[in-house]
């Protein structure tokens, strides 16, 4: 074994990494080799020196700076979260529009058609507004006359056929009947 | 020498507190490790200002990734050294600092009882000799002697096999010895 290899063993010995048999081997070599003894001596001194060398230290306000940095990064993260929270609905909206685009186009087209027709009808109605008002008065008169008859029939039925105990049921039934009647009468007048 | 694989209770408690949002506990941890982190960064970067900035980034990374730390894989010091080492390697890759350390003012040393063993002049000479070593050899030496890491922990920090760590460490010591003998440091 050459001295070069013993030098490595010496360093491992100083680092406390040698097993017993290697230690014995090194010990016997050191007794014979002056050069390796000198190497050991220098390495021992070097070890002591290196161990004694103190660590460097950062500026006094280092910890404060680190904590400020952490706070700053936390705040930035918080702002990012808020922005994300606000942007999420926008992104979702865009996604929905993108995915349902054909349906939305169809919807918009239908609404446009209805709106145009509606405007057309409105224009027609307002151009003949006098005629229309007269028609409305006629319709209102007929409704009122029909209601008068209905009223009479209702009272007759209530007084002649049913006794007062059935008034509640009759009222509800009449409400439905009245609604139905109105629905029947109104279109007839519109058609005429 | 070196930190065990398991955390002591105080450190475990501190880590738990930090994870649960206790900033005071993190400030204590920064105080505990700032010299070690800064020293390693300074040994690698050789600039006071940049080393401080990098150390700040290291602690920010530690704060953000503390949940990912696994005590079964490595000691806490080793984990912090690994982050520091990687941060410095990344930084050096981005920007190679070519200004030698001697041209700069050395930062303040942390006061330790062992400091009395060697004089200020010896500290300066030894520092210069260490910083003259090539980076690949300097880092294992710094981690072993200045930071007290074991061979295994250095392997974990530098992510290299044990044989390389040993080889570089021994080579660094021999190179250092040659430099110091040449400078008349050792009077035998």
């Amino acid at each position: 074994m050459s001295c070069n290899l013993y030098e490595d063993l010496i360093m491992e010995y100083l680092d406390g990494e040698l097993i017993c048999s290697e230690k014995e081997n090194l010990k016997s070599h050191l007794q014979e080799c002056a050069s390796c003894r000198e190497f050991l001596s220098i390495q021992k001194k070097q070890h002591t020196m290196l161990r004694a060398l103190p660590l460097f230290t950062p500026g006094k306000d280092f910890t404060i700076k680190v904590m400020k940095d952490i706070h700053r990064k936390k705040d930035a993260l918080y702002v990012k979260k808020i922005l994300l929270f606000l942007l999420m609905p926008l992104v979702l909206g865009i996604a929905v529009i993108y995915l349902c685009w054909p349906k939305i186009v169809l919807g918009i087209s239908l609404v446009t058609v209805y709106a145009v027709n509606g405007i057309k009808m409105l224009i027609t109605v307002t151009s003949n507004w006098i005629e229309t008002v007269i028609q409305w008065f006629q319709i209102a008169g007929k409704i009122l006359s029909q209601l008068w008859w209905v009223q009479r029939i209702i009272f007759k039925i209530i007084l002649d056929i049913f006794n007062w105990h059935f008034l509640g049921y009759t009222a509800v039934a009449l409400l439905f009947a009245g609604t139905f009647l109105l629905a029947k009468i109104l279109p007839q007048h519109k058609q005429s | 020498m070196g930190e065990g694989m398991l955390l002591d209770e105080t450190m475990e408690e501190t880590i738990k507190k930090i994870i649960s949002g206790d900033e005071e506990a993190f400030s204590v941890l920064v105080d505990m490790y700032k010299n070690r982190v800064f020293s390693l960064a300074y040994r690698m970067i050789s600039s006071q200002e940049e080393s401080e900035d990098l150390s700040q980034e290291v602690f920010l990374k530690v704060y953000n990734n503390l949940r990912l730390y696994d005590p079964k894989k490595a000691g806490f010091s080793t984990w912090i050294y690994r982050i520091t080492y990687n941060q410095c390697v990344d930084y050096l890759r981005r920007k190679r600092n070519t200004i030698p350390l001697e041209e700069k003012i050395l930062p303040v040393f942390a006061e330790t009882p062992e400091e009395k063993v060697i004089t200020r002049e010896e500290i300066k000479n030894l520092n210069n000799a260490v910083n003259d070593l090539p980076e690949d050899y300097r880092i294992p030496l710094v981690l072993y002697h200045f930071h007290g890491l074991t061979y295994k922990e250095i392997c974990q920090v530098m992510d290299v096999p044990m044989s390389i760590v040993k080889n570089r460490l021994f080579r660094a010591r021999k190179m250092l010895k040659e430099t110091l003998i040449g400078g008349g440091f050792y009077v035998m």
Side-chain angles (χ1 to χ4, degrees):
Chain A
M1 208 169 167
S2 72
C3 278
N4 262 345
L5 290 171
Y6 275 110
E7 283 180 358
D8 285 358
L9 268 186
I10 286 168
M11 283 190 269
E12 283 193 80
Y13 164 71
L14 290 171
D15 293 343
E17 297 283 335
L18 285 192
I19 55 168
C20 281
S21 59
E22 287 171 324
K23 267 185 202 169
E24 287 304 315
N25 180 18
L26 178 66
K27 213 174 172 183
S28 57
H29 175 77
L30 284 171
Q31 280 169 350
E32 295 161 9
C33 182
S35 147
C36 282
R37 278 202 300 275
E38 192 192 336
F39 184 82
L40 173 66
S41 168
I42 289 174
Q43 282 302 323
K44 261 187 183 171
K45 190 173 182 185
Q46 195 165 282
H47 265 61
T48 316
M49 294 276 200
L50 288 170
R51 208 175 298 127
L53 209 60
L55 292 173
F56 295 121
T57 176
K60 281 179 183 172
D61 55 348
F62 179 80
T63 309
I64 297 164
K65 276 185 190 170
V66 170
M67 297 315 289
K68 271 186 185 170
D69 208 17
I70 282 168
H71 283 145
R72 206 167 38 242
K73 291 275 158 58
K74 262 187 173 179
D75 290 347
L77 194 72
Y78 188 65
V79 169
K80 266 184 198 171
K81 278 183 182 173
I82 289 173
L83 278 174
L84 194 71
F85 180 75
L86 292 173
L87 280 173
M88 195 69 92
L90 189 71
V91 173
L92 274 172
I94 291 167
V96 167
I97 289 170
Y98 178 76
L99 291 170
C100 309
W101 184 242
K103 286 176 187 171
I104 289 167
V105 168
L106 186 69
I108 291 169
S109 311
L110 286 172
V111 167
T112 314
V113 169
Y114 281 121
V116 168
N117 285 339
I119 290 163
K120 272 183 188 173
M121 280 167 73
L122 196 71
I123 290 164
T124 318
V125 168
T126 45
S127 62
N128 303 310
W129 66 274
I130 299 168
E131 195 188 327
T132 313
V133 169
I134 291 165
Q135 277 181 356
W136 284 350
F137 273 111
Q138 283 173 348
I139 291 163
K142 282 186 179 178
I143 288 167
L144 284 172
S145 66
Q146 290 287 339
L147 281 176
W148 184 77
W149 279 107
V150 169
Q151 211 177 20
R152 281 191 66 181
I153 292 161
I154 289 164
F155 276 104
K156 196 169 171 51
I157 291 164
I158 291 165
L159 293 170
D160 296 350
I161 303 167
F162 299 102
N163 60 40
W164 288 101
H165 296 285
F166 294 101
L167 186 64
Y169 301 108
T170 317
V172 175
L174 284 174
L175 197 69
F176 282 106
T179 313
F180 177 75
L181 207 67
L182 275 173
K184 281 291 251 183
I185 291 162
L186 283 171
Q188 282 171 7
H189 282 286
K190 270 183 182 173
Q191 280 165 11
S192 66
Chain B
M1 182 176 277
E3 192 188 20
M5 291 300 275
L6 291 170
L7 287 173
D8 59 70
E9 278 179 30
T10 323
M11 182 51 77
E12 207 175 332
E13 200 60 39
T14 309
I15 290 171
K16 274 182 189 169
K17 278 183 187 174
I18 296 165
I19 289 171
S20 63
D22 187 344
E23 288 185 359
E24 189 59 39
F26 187 69
S27 144
V28 171
L29 187 129
V30 174
D31 277 334
M32 272 169 72
Y33 284 92
K34 66 180 180 187
N35 288 352
R36 297 184 228 187
V37 168
F38 176 74
S39 286
L40 180 60
Y42 188 80
R43 290 283 176 198
M44 292 181 76
I45 305 293
S46 307
S47 153
Q48 165 96 25
E49 201 179 321
E50 284 163 7
S51 301
E52 271 206 33
D53 289 347
L54 268 169
S55 304
Q56 278 187 47
E57 283 175 31
V58 167
F59 281 110
L60 198 70
K61 228 171 186 176
V62 167
Y63 186 80
N64 289 332
N65 295 296
L66 207 55
R67 281 166 203 278
L68 304 175
Y69 166 64
D70 183 0
K72 288 170 195 163
K73 283 186 183 169
F76 190 70
S77 298
T78 312
W79 186 66
I80 283 199
Y81 281 128
R82 190 173 162 78
I83 293 174
T84 312
Y85 176 78
N86 288 337
Q87 197 81 6
C88 292
V89 167
D90 284 350
Y91 176 80
L92 288 171
R93 260 187 217 140
R94 289 198 303 270
K95 181 195 168 188
R96 267 276 159 203
N97 196 339
T98 50
I99 306 165
L101 188 71
E102 290 93 326
E103 290 177 18
K104 296 178 175 183
I105 303 158
L106 280 169
V108 184
F109 288 110
E111 294 292 325
T112 61
E114 291 103 340
E115 203 185 332
K116 288 167 190 169
V117 176
I118 51 174
T119 63
R120 279 268 157 195
E121 191 62 27
E122 283 174 325
I123 287 173
K124 196 186 162 193
N125 291 336
L126 197 56
N127 254 317
N128 289 343
V130 169
N131 287 303
D132 277 344
L133 293 171
E135 193 188 304
D136 285 346
Y137 298 96
R138 188 171 71 236
I139 305 308
L141 185 103
V142 164
L143 286 172
Y144 188 87
H145 289 286
F146 302 162
H147 296 274
L149 267 65
T150 60
Y151 293 165
K152 197 182 170 186
E153 286 167 342
I154 298 170
C155 293
Q156 289 175 325
V157 169
M158 297 182 73
D159 199 20
V160 287
M162 178 80 83
S163 56
I164 291 180
V165 167
K166 272 179 157 179
N167 182 278
R168 285 181 187 174
L169 182 62
F170 296 170
R171 184 99 185 86
R173 283 171 182 166
K174 285 177 187 171
M175 287 158 94
L176 194 66
K177 188 197 94 178
E178 296 306 318
T179 314
L180 294 175
I181 284 176
F185 200 78
Y186 297 122
V187 183
M188 299 306 294

